[in-house]
Amino acid sequence: MAQMSIELQTADDTIHFGRSLGRVLRAGDLVLLAGPLGAGKTTMTRGIADGMGVTGRVSSPTFVLARVHPAGPAGVALVHADAYRLGGDLSQLDDLDLDTDLDRAALVVEWGEGLAERLSDDYLVVRLARRPDDVRTVRLEPHGAWTGRVAELPVAT
């Protein structure tokens, strides 16, 4: 598994990186955003949504668990889910029917590591960290078919 690390100097860089990632996503893609509170997961998702051209305002889905953003010109919808409140409860993840959404949408799951990997053998973990100087570091960890697609991923902002 090839991993990549990237530094993002500003929140705008995080959005720009997400936008570049969103441009390569297609129906069936699973992206897990991992990192502590304030690392930039929702900010990155805003960029992903913009890159995909989906409609609807992107905000943290913590209290609704999942939001569907209808497809734009690229024809792929985005399902933005937040597994934070699930606390490791796989039955609640099953209740969301996210595996069904993978047939027609790209799925981005915040806090999904340890839960959402079971939705697909092919997934990308985007691990975000925020340093004290406010610079974000991003480590990309491709799994399954994503290992072959890693060259499609943006490596610089």
Side-chain angles (χ1 to χ4, degrees), residues 17 20 32 55 57 64 93 97 101 114 134 144 148 156:
F17 178 84
S20 297
L32 306 179
T55 60
R57 182 178 158 273
V64 295
L93 183 68
D97 265 344
D101 290 323
D134 230 17

Side-chain angles (χ1 to χ4, degrees), residues 1 8 12 14 16 29 36-37 42 51 64 79 81-82 105 107 115 118 120 122 125 128 151-152 155:
M1 170 179 62
L8 304 172
D12 284 344
T14 303
H16 180 78
D29 282 342
L37 286 170
T42 300
V64 295
V79 176
D82 189 328
L107 176 58
L115 279 174
R118 66 192 198 95
S120 176
D122 308 314
V125 176
L128 294 117
E152 297 175 46
V155 292

Side-chain angles (χ1 to χ4, degrees), residues 23-38:
R23 287 184 187 122
V24 301
L25 292 182
R26 49 192 181 224
D29 282 342
L30 174 60
V31 177
L32 306 179
L33 301 180
L37 286 170

Side-chain angles (χ1 to χ4, degrees), residues 53-151:
V54 299
T55 60
R57 182 178 158 273
V58 173
S59 60
S60 177
T62 299
F63 296 104
V64 295
L65 301 181
R67 282 186 166 71
V68 177
H69 298 277
V76 178
L78 169 66
V79 176
H80 179 204
D82 189 328
Y84 183 77
R85 289 185 43 228
L86 299 182
D89 187 344
L90 295 176
S91 67
Q92 286 186 355
L93 183 68
D94 287 340
D95 290 345
L96 293 175
D97 265 344
L98 297 176
D99 52 344
T100 302
D101 290 323
L102 277 172
D103 292 339
R104 63 187 177 281
L107 176 58
V108 173
V109 183
E110 295 186 31
W111 302 97
E113 196 170 31
L115 279 174
E117 298 95 332
R118 66 192 198 95
L119 296 172
S120 176
D121 292 332
D122 308 314
Y123 60 95
L124 176 67
V125 176
V126 178
R127 193 171 307 284
L128 294 117
R130 186 174 181 177
R131 298 189 324 218
D133 62 359
D134 230 17
V135 171
R136 282 150 177 93
T137 58
V138 175
R139 192 170 74 228
L140 303 174
E141 301 171 6
H143 297 267
W146 271 103
T147 57
R149 293 179 60 197
V150 79

